[in-house]
Amino acid sequence: MQLFARSSRRVELTAAGAAFLPEARASVAAADRARAEAAAATGELRGTLAIGLIPTVTAVDIPDLLGTFRQAHPAVSVSLRVGASDEMVAAVGAGSLDVAFLGLAEGAPVTGVSSRELARHRLVAVVGADHLLGQRRRLRLADLSHHPFVDFPAGSPGRAQSDRAFERAGLTREVPYEVTSTDLALGLVRAGLAIALLAPQVVSEQQGVRSIPVQGGPTRVEHLAWSGFNPSPAATAFVDLVRPRRE
């Protein structure tokens, strides 16, 4: 069986090679897993740990957590990937991620994987320092509905809690700015181009913006998710280490 097609300048997989590749990768992964489990039996954790997270994790100090894990298990190779919650759940279920930090609308289930709640936060309105709503102590969704918003992309879990809150209130809003970065969102707010609904911890030390409580505003729930089917020793150790930060 020929797996590669070769010439003097290039090498490519043949059709047989392409068909063989997934099985070869699975065999390598299984061998790595066996070595990691054998090392764990002697008290030393080895292997890999793939972690996914949303851009707005606030329940846990991620750098501090990774530093603590590295100090306890220096032989584990850790990788980090940022994405949307639905992507992270699918990746954990498929086995390409070991654990993930998620942010979902209140009441939204985490399905297909094991999970536990880490924290829940009522989102606050974030406006520019000179915005006409900036002097208010409390706002209603109706006060916000006539102003342009910056938010996460339509249909994403990061956007769902805000969309649902406006729908429940029978209100509509315009979201001309769709972003995946909170830094960019805050920059647009600071420039007076839009307002936002964000977790208060994201804006607690930002200059040039104000955060204001919103009556009837949306709640975001942060979760830790992992595969409950035969998790690796490194994944189990990491899940056991995760503790929400104190408010």
Side-chain angles (χ1 to χ4, degrees), residues 21 64 87 109 129 162 202:
L21 183 60
D64 183 69
E87 297 171 356
S162 297
V202 174

Side-chain angles (χ1 to χ4, degrees), residues 1-7 10-18 20-21 24:
M1 180 187 299
Q2 185 176 0
L3 301 180
F4 297 95
R6 303 175 186 271
S7 71
R10 59 192 295 186
V11 177
E12 293 181 354
L13 286 171
T14 64
F20 179 74
L21 183 60

